[in-house]
Amino acid sequence: MTHDVLIIGGGSAGYAAARTARDEGANVGIIDHGPLGGLCILRGCMPTKTILRSSDIIALIKRANEFGLSSVSPKANLSAIIDRKARLIGEFADDRIQALKDSRFTLYEERARFVSPHEVQVGTQTLTAKAFIISTGSVVSRIPLPGLEEVGYITSDEALELRDLPESMIVLGGGAVAVELAQFFSRIGTKVTLIQRSRHIMSEGDEDLARPVEARFREEGMTVYTNTQLHRFTKNGTQKVAHFTHDGQEKTVMAEIILQALGRRPNIDGLHLEAAGIKTEKGRVVVDRTMRTNHPHIFAVGDVNGLHEIVHIAIEQGEIAGWNAMHANDSPRRYDDRLKTQVVFTDPQVASVGLSERECRRENISYMTASYPFNDHGKSMTLGETHGHVKLLADPLTGTLLGAHIVGPEAAELIHELIAVMYFYGTVHDLMRIPHYHPTLAEIITYPAEELLGRIPK
């Protein structure tokens, strides 16, 4: 065997798997053709959050009069925003590259492809291992819409490198990437039109979480079309034109640039999974809760298995696979999505943990729910951040929390109290017993908890 464990892909999931396997005594090889760093650092979480900080600040400055301050007319310098992003991302990437090149690993900066269930071709070498962990991430989906390829578009990859501010932009999609970038460009001066097929943006979640974000978008001047059907794309001079149906009416929208943000897909191109007999389904590598594929010595973690496109979950999956790869004869570690957490960094932010209402209905899980709005909460009113609400889902007999959802100010931070309570299988009783300082945003959690507490049978 060349190595005990071979990791294909050195992003967040792959590095977590490599580190864990190494700590369990493995001789670990990492294969990554580059650029090194992984999606989160190079083209995902970190660059988007960096540029969103700039648009959040400019949005606050524009509200100066609301807070009794002299108004100003701020202007965004997109090139300077991208320079700041590039500097920070360079630092983050350097740290990851240094970790990958640690002498305790063997790093192969080449492409890998399977030639059998026990061998991969890496450059001119054939490598073997006791276990393989596939962690190649995801790539932008190419959606076959009539005329779209001909008129041209950018994806999130190119959007993060733009230095000249577009005058107008059509954003296709309503997922996290689409809405975050749509609000960013809208806030710094681009006329943005967002077109979403489903009834509301962020369509995988409950509708009541999306509506406050849509309202904020429209207040800020963005045009938002939901419940649409895209027909075709044409050009009118230098302008790109989207033809679609909205609420039964034919519509056209024209813009300088189209941002295609219709999702991502597992990155399995070129891996020759068929040579190893690795089972896939709808383009994703099929795994069980131990992160094993249909071959017990081959694992797949992170975006490539299509379960969740979320970094902390990818890291958890990587750690599970790294441990299981070295303990084939022991009781395996398993992934449990009871505490699955997701955040969308729009303004207002959207954060969720556990079950949603639609999941409870789909799986016939009994629940009760209560919510409380930020526009009736003292601290959020003093901050001028009154969009959204907190919603709790609990077992109707015991009060055990099943899920929690926040759309509003600092939702990404506030959700962690609820994650902690759910980690310990806490109840609405616990939320009422935990001290909450006044005045804080966090104390809003106690209001829906109190309502639910009153519904539990004595």
Side-chain angles (χ1 to χ4, degrees):
M1 294 293 172
T2 311
H3 295 281
D4 295 318
V5 180
L6 267 175
I7 318 285
I8 306 175
S12 297
Y15 179 66
R19 184 186 61 229
T20 304
R22 180 200 66 200
D23 290 347
E24 295 302 311
N27 178 319
V28 176
I30 304 172
I31 308 167
D32 193 318
H33 61 80
L36 298 178
L39 175 64
C40 171
I41 291 174
L42 299 178
R43 299 184 305 281
C45 318
M46 302 311 292
T48 55
K49 304 315 164 275
T50 303
I51 66 172
L52 285 174
R53 178 62 172 166
S54 297
S55 62
D56 288 344
I57 291 172
I58 199 171
L60 272 175
I61 294 173
K62 289 177 180 178
R63 294 172 59 190
N65 283 338
E66 179 184 338
F67 298 96
L69 305 174
S70 298
S71 61
V72 295
S73 298
K75 184 177 180 180
N77 181 339
L78 182 54
S79 185
I81 292 172
I82 298 303
D83 283 341
R84 177 176 181 267
K85 183 266 298 183
R87 184 172 64 253
L88 286 169
I89 298 313
E91 294 175 8
F92 301 149
D94 285 346
D95 287 343
R96 172 59 56 78
I97 292 167
Q98 184 177 357
L100 291 172
K101 292 186 175 181
D102 189 292
S103 60
R104 290 173 291 181
F105 303 122
T106 302
L107 177 64
Y108 301 90
E109 294 187 65
E110 301 274 1
R111 293 186 181 274
R113 63 182 182 89
F114 281 92
V115 294
S116 78
H118 298 279
E119 300 169 296
V120 291
Q121 189 75 32
V122 180
T124 60
Q125 304 178 75
T126 299
L127 304 181
T128 59
K130 296 176 183 176
F132 297 85
I133 301 176
I134 305 167
S135 55
T136 47
S138 62
V139 293
V140 172
S141 295
R142 302 287 173 174
I143 307 299
L145 293 170
L148 182 58
E149 295 290 338
E150 288 75 12
V151 302
Y153 58 88
I154 64 169
T155 69
S156 57
D157 291 352
E158 293 82 32
L160 289 168
E161 301 300 329
L162 286 179
R163 290 184 174 271
D164 296 320
L165 185 64
E167 181 180 325
S168 55
M169 175 183 288
I170 296 169
V171 177
L172 305 178
V177 172
V179 295
E180 288 179 4
L181 289 175
Q183 189 173 40
F184 167 75
F185 281 103
S186 177
R187 284 182 155 185
I188 66 172
T190 299
K191 177 178 171 52
V192 173
T193 300
L194 185 145
I195 303 174
Q196 160 73 341
R197 181 179 60 182
S198 303
R199 291 184 63 250
H200 58 83
I201 61 174
M202 298 177 288
S203 58
E204 293 186 0
D206 291 337
E207 183 173 347
D208 63 332
L209 302 178
R211 295 307 185 191
V213 181
E214 291 179 6
R216 186 61 164 263
F217 283 1
R218 293 185 174 106
E219 284 178 14
E220 294 180 344
M222 191 190 306
T223 302
V224 179
Y225 290 103
T226 56
N227 195 28
T228 68
Q229 183 179 357
L230 284 164
H231 297 308
R232 66 188 187 280
F233 295 85
T234 59
K235 293 191 80 170
N236 184 351
T238 61
Q239 298 287 293
K240 305 175 194 297
V241 186
H243 303 257
F244 60 100
T245 303
H246 175 249
D247 289 339
Q249 295 185 331
E250 296 294 325
K251 298 276 187 182
T252 60
V253 172
M254 198 177 303
E256 176 186 340
I257 198 167
I258 294 174
L259 170 58
Q260 194 272 79
L262 294 168
R264 303 182 66 85
R265 62 175 179 83
N267 181 21
I268 61 174
D269 297 349
L271 288 176
H272 290 209
L273 299 180
E274 65 280 0
I278 298 170
K279 184 179 179 181
T280 62
E281 186 177 282
K282 296 180 179 179
R284 69 178 187 89
V285 182
V286 178
V287 296
D288 62 16
R289 293 288 179 178
T290 69
M291 298 296 109
R292 285 184 169 89
T293 68
N294 54 306
H295 291 294
H297 70 289
I298 302 177
F299 303 77
V301 295
D303 289 4
V304 78
N305 65 35
L307 296 178
H308 302 285
E309 294 179 354
I310 301 170
V311 171
H312 77 274
I313 292 178
I315 292 170
E316 181 183 355
Q317 291 179 356
E319 291 169 346
I320 290 169
W323 195 91
N324 288 342
M326 290 298 293
H327 296 272
N329 299 320
D330 299 334
S331 297
R333 293 182 178 176
R334 300 175 184 275
Y335 171 67
D336 179 6
D337 63 1
R338 184 178 70 87
L339 297 177
K340 67 179 184 300
T341 303
Q342 186 162 6
V343 175
V344 181
F345 289 87
T346 46
D347 179 11
Q349 295 176 354
V350 182
S352 298
V353 59
L355 293 169
S356 65
E357 288 194 72
R358 66 189 301 176
E359 288 173 324
C360 287
R361 291 192 295 266
R362 185 173 66 235
E363 298 171 22
N364 294 317
I365 297 172
S366 296
Y367 73 98
M368 58 178 178
T369 184
S371 62
Y372 198 87
F374 279 101
N375 65 10
D376 192 42
H377 179 55
K379 181 60 184 289
S380 54
M381 293 167 71
T382 66
L383 296 175
E385 301 296 346
T386 56
H387 286 77
H389 58 272
V390 174
K391 178 173 70 172
L392 303 179
L393 280 64
D395 183 283
L397 296 179
T398 65
T400 301
L401 284 177
L402 303 175
H405 309 268
I406 305 174
V407 52
E410 302 297 340
E413 309 301 328
L414 294 176
I415 199 68
H416 285 82
E417 174 183 347
L418 294 159
I419 296 171
V421 171
M422 287 182 61
Y423 178 84
F424 292 104
Y425 294 87
T427 67
V428 293
H429 304 78
D430 296 315
L431 285 176
M432 292 305 298
R433 295 186 189 109
I434 295 171
H436 288 78
Y437 197 87
H438 175 78
T440 60
L441 290 171
E443 63 182 337
I444 193 175
I445 292 168
T446 63
Y447 302 143
E450 184 176 23
E451 180 181 336
L452 292 176
L453 188 58
R455 297 192 217 159
I456 297 173
K458 302 297 184 184

Short mmCIF file of all heavy atoms in Angstrom, two decimals, residues 289 308 312-313 316 334-342 352-356 359 363 365 400-405 418-427:
data_model
loop_
_atom_site.label_atom_id
_atom_site.label_comp_id
_atom_site.label_asym_id
_atom_site.label_seq_id
_atom_site.Cartn_x
_atom_site.Cartn_y
_atom_site.Cartn_z
N ARG A 289 -24.66 6.70 6.60
CA ARG A 289 -24.40 7.61 7.73
C ARG A 289 -22.96 7.53 8.22
O ARG A 289 -22.51 8.41 8.95
CB ARG A 289 -25.36 7.29 8.88
CG ARG A 289 -26.81 7.60 8.58
CD ARG A 289 -27.06 9.08 8.56
NE ARG A 289 -28.46 9.40 8.25
CZ ARG A 289 -28.95 10.63 8.20
NH1 ARG A 289 -28.15 11.65 8.41
NH2 ARG A 289 -30.21 10.84 7.91
N HIS A 308 -25.55 17.95 2.19
CA HIS A 308 -25.68 19.33 2.65
C HIS A 308 -24.48 20.11 2.12
O HIS A 308 -23.34 19.68 2.28
CB HIS A 308 -25.71 19.43 4.18
CG HIS A 308 -26.81 18.64 4.82
ND1 HIS A 308 -28.12 19.06 4.80
CD2 HIS A 308 -26.79 17.45 5.48
CE1 HIS A 308 -28.86 18.16 5.45
NE2 HIS A 308 -28.08 17.18 5.86
N HIS A 312 -19.49 23.48 7.97
CA HIS A 312 -19.26 22.80 9.25
C HIS A 312 -19.74 21.35 9.18
O HIS A 312 -19.18 20.47 9.85
CB HIS A 312 -19.92 23.55 10.41
CG HIS A 312 -21.40 23.37 10.52
ND1 HIS A 312 -22.30 24.15 9.82
CD2 HIS A 312 -22.14 22.49 11.24
CE1 HIS A 312 -23.53 23.75 10.13
NE2 HIS A 312 -23.46 22.76 10.98
N ILE A 313 -20.75 21.08 8.35
CA ILE A 313 -21.20 19.70 8.17
C ILE A 313 -20.17 18.91 7.36
O ILE A 313 -19.89 17.74 7.65
CB ILE A 313 -22.58 19.66 7.49
CG1 ILE A 313 -23.65 20.24 8.44
CG2 ILE A 313 -22.95 18.24 7.08
CD1 ILE A 313 -25.04 20.31 7.86
N GLU A 316 -17.50 17.96 9.76
CA GLU A 316 -17.95 16.86 10.60
C GLU A 316 -17.91 15.54 9.84
O GLU A 316 -17.45 14.51 10.36
CB GLU A 316 -19.37 17.13 11.12
CG GLU A 316 -19.91 16.04 12.02
CD GLU A 316 -21.34 16.29 12.48
OE1 GLU A 316 -21.88 17.37 12.17
OE2 GLU A 316 -21.91 15.40 13.13
N ARG A 334 -21.17 7.84 13.14
CA ARG A 334 -22.23 8.10 12.17
C ARG A 334 -22.61 9.58 12.18
O ARG A 334 -22.58 10.22 13.23
CB ARG A 334 -23.47 7.24 12.47
CG ARG A 334 -23.19 5.75 12.42
CD ARG A 334 -24.42 4.95 12.83
NE ARG A 334 -24.13 3.52 12.88
CZ ARG A 334 -24.18 2.71 11.83
NH1 ARG A 334 -24.57 3.19 10.65
NH2 ARG A 334 -23.89 1.44 11.95
N TYR A 335 -22.99 10.05 11.02
CA TYR A 335 -23.47 11.42 10.92
C TYR A 335 -24.94 11.50 11.33
O TYR A 335 -25.75 10.68 10.90
CB TYR A 335 -23.30 11.96 9.49
CG TYR A 335 -23.98 13.30 9.29
CD1 TYR A 335 -23.49 14.43 9.95
CD2 TYR A 335 -25.11 13.43 8.50
CE1 TYR A 335 -24.12 15.65 9.80
CE2 TYR A 335 -25.74 14.65 8.35
CZ TYR A 335 -25.24 15.76 9.01
OH TYR A 335 -25.87 16.97 8.88
N ASP A 336 -25.27 12.46 12.19
CA ASP A 336 -26.63 12.67 12.66
C ASP A 336 -27.02 14.10 12.32
O ASP A 336 -26.37 15.04 12.79
CB ASP A 336 -26.71 12.43 14.17
CG ASP A 336 -28.11 12.66 14.73
OD1 ASP A 336 -29.04 12.89 13.93
OD2 ASP A 336 -28.26 12.62 15.97
N ASP A 337 -28.07 14.26 11.51
CA ASP A 337 -28.43 15.62 11.09
C ASP A 337 -29.50 16.25 11.99
O ASP A 337 -30.15 17.21 11.60
CB ASP A 337 -28.88 15.64 9.63
CG ASP A 337 -30.13 14.83 9.39
OD1 ASP A 337 -30.68 14.25 10.34
OD2 ASP A 337 -30.56 14.76 8.21
N ARG A 338 -29.65 15.73 13.21
CA ARG A 338 -30.62 16.32 14.13
C ARG A 338 -30.33 17.80 14.37
O ARG A 338 -31.25 18.61 14.53
CB ARG A 338 -30.60 15.58 15.47
CG ARG A 338 -31.65 16.05 16.48
CD ARG A 338 -31.59 15.24 17.75
NE ARG A 338 -30.39 15.49 18.52
CZ ARG A 338 -30.27 16.47 19.44
NH1 ARG A 338 -31.29 17.29 19.68
NH2 ARG A 338 -29.15 16.62 20.10
N LEU A 339 -29.06 18.16 14.40
CA LEU A 339 -28.67 19.55 14.65
C LEU A 339 -28.21 20.26 13.38
O LEU A 339 -27.39 21.19 13.46
CB LEU A 339 -27.56 19.60 15.70
CG LEU A 339 -27.92 19.08 17.10
CD1 LEU A 339 -26.71 19.12 18.01
CD2 LEU A 339 -29.06 19.88 17.71
N LYS A 340 -28.69 19.83 12.23
CA LYS A 340 -28.26 20.49 10.99
C LYS A 340 -28.61 21.98 11.09
O LYS A 340 -29.70 22.37 11.47
CB LYS A 340 -28.91 19.85 9.77
CG LYS A 340 -30.41 20.02 9.65
CD LYS A 340 -30.92 19.35 8.38
CE LYS A 340 -32.42 19.59 8.18
NZ LYS A 340 -33.25 19.07 9.27
N THR A 341 -27.64 22.79 10.75
CA THR A 341 -27.76 24.24 10.91
C THR A 341 -27.42 24.92 9.60
O THR A 341 -26.50 24.51 8.90
CB THR A 341 -26.79 24.74 12.01
OG1 THR A 341 -27.08 24.04 13.22
CG2 THR A 341 -26.94 26.24 12.24
N GLN A 342 -28.17 25.94 9.28
CA GLN A 342 -27.91 26.68 8.05
C GLN A 342 -28.13 28.16 8.29
O GLN A 342 -29.06 28.55 9.01
CB GLN A 342 -28.81 26.20 6.91
CG GLN A 342 -28.49 26.85 5.57
CD GLN A 342 -29.06 26.07 4.40
OE1 GLN A 342 -29.79 25.10 4.59
NE2 GLN A 342 -28.74 26.49 3.20
N SER A 352 -31.27 28.71 10.87
CA SER A 352 -32.14 27.61 11.27
C SER A 352 -31.33 26.46 11.85
O SER A 352 -30.20 26.22 11.43
CB SER A 352 -32.93 27.08 10.06
OG SER A 352 -33.77 28.08 9.53
N VAL A 353 -31.94 25.75 12.80
CA VAL A 353 -31.36 24.52 13.32
C VAL A 353 -32.49 23.51 13.49
O VAL A 353 -33.60 23.87 13.89
CB VAL A 353 -30.61 24.75 14.65
CG1 VAL A 353 -31.52 25.32 15.72
CG2 VAL A 353 -29.98 23.44 15.15
N GLY A 354 -32.20 22.26 13.17
CA GLY A 354 -33.19 21.21 13.37
C GLY A 354 -34.27 21.20 12.32
O GLY A 354 -34.06 21.60 11.17
N LEU A 355 -35.43 20.76 12.72
CA LEU A 355 -36.54 20.55 11.79
C LEU A 355 -37.26 21.85 11.45
O LEU A 355 -37.40 22.74 12.29
CB LEU A 355 -37.55 19.57 12.39
CG LEU A 355 -37.08 18.13 12.57
CD1 LEU A 355 -38.08 17.35 13.41
CD2 LEU A 355 -36.86 17.45 11.22
N SER A 356 -37.75 21.93 10.22
CA SER A 356 -38.63 23.01 9.80
C SER A 356 -40.07 22.51 9.88
O SER A 356 -40.32 21.32 10.04
CB SER A 356 -38.31 23.44 8.37
OG SER A 356 -38.58 22.38 7.46
N GLU A 359 -40.73 20.06 7.04
CA GLU A 359 -40.16 18.73 7.30
C GLU A 359 -41.03 17.96 8.29
O GLU A 359 -41.25 16.75 8.12
CB GLU A 359 -38.74 18.87 7.84
CG GLU A 359 -37.73 19.31 6.80
CD GLU A 359 -36.37 19.60 7.40
OE1 GLU A 359 -36.30 20.12 8.54
OE2 GLU A 359 -35.36 19.31 6.73
N GLU A 363 -42.82 14.44 7.32
CA GLU A 363 -42.45 13.21 8.03
C GLU A 363 -43.45 12.84 9.11
O GLU A 363 -43.20 11.93 9.91
CB GLU A 363 -41.05 13.39 8.63
CG GLU A 363 -39.97 13.63 7.58
CD GLU A 363 -38.62 14.01 8.18
OE1 GLU A 363 -38.40 13.69 9.37
OE2 GLU A 363 -37.82 14.64 7.47
N ILE A 365 -44.38 14.32 11.85
CA ILE A 365 -43.88 14.54 13.20
C ILE A 365 -44.78 15.56 13.90
O ILE A 365 -44.99 16.66 13.39
CB ILE A 365 -42.42 15.05 13.17
CG1 ILE A 365 -41.51 13.99 12.55
CG2 ILE A 365 -41.95 15.42 14.58
CD1 ILE A 365 -40.09 14.47 12.29
N THR A 400 -39.76 19.49 24.31
CA THR A 400 -38.41 19.34 23.77
C THR A 400 -38.31 20.07 22.43
O THR A 400 -39.18 19.93 21.57
CB THR A 400 -38.07 17.86 23.56
OG1 THR A 400 -38.17 17.18 24.81
CG2 THR A 400 -36.66 17.70 23.01
N LEU A 401 -37.26 20.87 22.27
CA LEU A 401 -37.09 21.63 21.03
C LEU A 401 -36.81 20.69 19.86
O LEU A 401 -35.91 19.84 19.93
CB LEU A 401 -35.95 22.63 21.16
CG LEU A 401 -36.23 23.89 21.99
CD1 LEU A 401 -34.97 24.74 22.08
CD2 LEU A 401 -37.37 24.70 21.41
N LEU A 402 -37.55 20.87 18.79
CA LEU A 402 -37.36 20.11 17.56
C LEU A 402 -36.65 20.94 16.49
O LEU A 402 -35.97 20.39 15.61
CB LEU A 402 -38.70 19.64 17.00
CG LEU A 402 -39.57 18.79 17.93
CD1 LEU A 402 -40.93 18.52 17.28
CD2 LEU A 402 -38.87 17.48 18.26
N GLY A 403 -36.83 22.24 16.56
CA GLY A 403 -36.22 23.14 15.57
C GLY A 403 -36.34 24.56 16.05
O GLY A 403 -37.18 24.90 16.89
N ALA A 404 -35.49 25.41 15.49
CA ALA A 404 -35.52 26.83 15.82
C ALA A 404 -35.10 27.62 14.60
O ALA A 404 -34.18 27.21 13.87
CB ALA A 404 -34.61 27.14 17.01
N HIS A 405 -35.77 28.75 14.38
CA HIS A 405 -35.54 29.53 13.17
C HIS A 405 -35.58 31.01 13.51
O HIS A 405 -36.48 31.47 14.23
CB HIS A 405 -36.60 29.19 12.11
CG HIS A 405 -36.74 27.72 11.87
ND1 HIS A 405 -36.04 27.07 10.89
CD2 HIS A 405 -37.47 26.78 12.51
CE1 HIS A 405 -36.34 25.78 10.94
NE2 HIS A 405 -37.19 25.58 11.91
N LEU A 418 -29.68 28.37 20.72
CA LEU A 418 -30.67 27.33 20.47
C LEU A 418 -30.01 26.03 20.05
O LEU A 418 -30.48 24.94 20.40
CB LEU A 418 -31.67 27.83 19.43
CG LEU A 418 -32.50 29.00 19.96
CD1 LEU A 418 -33.10 29.81 18.82
CD2 LEU A 418 -33.57 28.53 20.91
N ILE A 419 -28.90 26.11 19.32
CA ILE A 419 -28.14 24.90 18.99
C ILE A 419 -27.65 24.23 20.28
O ILE A 419 -27.74 23.01 20.44
CB ILE A 419 -26.94 25.23 18.08
CG1 ILE A 419 -27.40 25.77 16.73
CG2 ILE A 419 -26.06 24.00 17.89
CD1 ILE A 419 -26.28 26.31 15.87
N ALA A 420 -27.14 25.04 21.21
CA ALA A 420 -26.61 24.50 22.46
C ALA A 420 -27.72 23.82 23.27
O ALA A 420 -27.52 22.72 23.81
CB ALA A 420 -25.96 25.61 23.28
N VAL A 421 -28.87 24.46 23.35
CA VAL A 421 -29.98 23.86 24.10
C VAL A 421 -30.43 22.56 23.44
O VAL A 421 -30.66 21.55 24.12
CB VAL A 421 -31.15 24.86 24.20
CG1 VAL A 421 -32.40 24.19 24.78
CG2 VAL A 421 -30.76 26.05 25.08
N MET A 422 -30.52 22.56 22.10
CA MET A 422 -30.93 21.35 21.41
C MET A 422 -29.88 20.25 21.50
O MET A 422 -30.21 19.06 21.53
CB MET A 422 -31.26 21.66 19.95
CG MET A 422 -32.57 22.40 19.76
SD MET A 422 -32.98 22.70 18.01
CE MET A 422 -33.09 21.01 17.39
N TYR A 423 -28.62 20.61 21.56
CA TYR A 423 -27.55 19.62 21.71
C TYR A 423 -27.78 18.76 22.95
O TYR A 423 -27.55 17.55 22.95
CB TYR A 423 -26.19 20.32 21.79
CG TYR A 423 -25.02 19.39 21.98
CD1 TYR A 423 -24.42 18.76 20.90
CD2 TYR A 423 -24.52 19.14 23.26
CE1 TYR A 423 -23.34 17.90 21.07
CE2 TYR A 423 -23.44 18.28 23.45
CZ TYR A 423 -22.86 17.66 22.36
OH TYR A 423 -21.80 16.81 22.54
N PHE A 424 -28.25 19.40 24.02
CA PHE A 424 -28.51 18.70 25.28
C PHE A 424 -29.97 18.27 25.40
O PHE A 424 -30.46 18.02 26.49
CB PHE A 424 -28.12 19.59 26.46
CG PHE A 424 -26.65 19.83 26.57
CD1 PHE A 424 -26.08 21.04 26.19
CD2 PHE A 424 -25.81 18.83 27.04
CE1 PHE A 424 -24.72 21.26 26.30
CE2 PHE A 424 -24.44 19.04 27.14
CZ PHE A 424 -23.88 20.25 26.77
N TYR A 425 -30.67 18.20 24.25
CA TYR A 425 -32.08 17.78 24.21
C TYR A 425 -32.93 18.64 25.14
O TYR A 425 -33.80 18.14 25.85
CB TYR A 425 -32.22 16.29 24.54
CG TYR A 425 -31.59 15.39 23.51
CD1 TYR A 425 -30.24 15.05 23.58
CD2 TYR A 425 -32.35 14.89 22.44
CE1 TYR A 425 -29.66 14.24 22.61
CE2 TYR A 425 -31.78 14.08 21.48
CZ TYR A 425 -30.42 13.75 21.56
OH TYR A 425 -29.85 12.95 20.61
N GLY A 426 -32.65 19.96 25.11
CA GLY A 426 -33.33 20.88 26.00
C GLY A 426 -34.77 21.16 25.59
O GLY A 426 -35.21 20.83 24.49
N THR A 427 -35.50 21.78 26.49
CA THR A 427 -36.91 22.05 26.32
C THR A 427 -37.20 23.54 26.42
O THR A 427 -36.32 24.34 26.77
CB THR A 427 -37.72 21.33 27.41
OG1 THR A 427 -37.40 21.94 28.69
CG2 THR A 427 -37.39 19.85 27.46
#
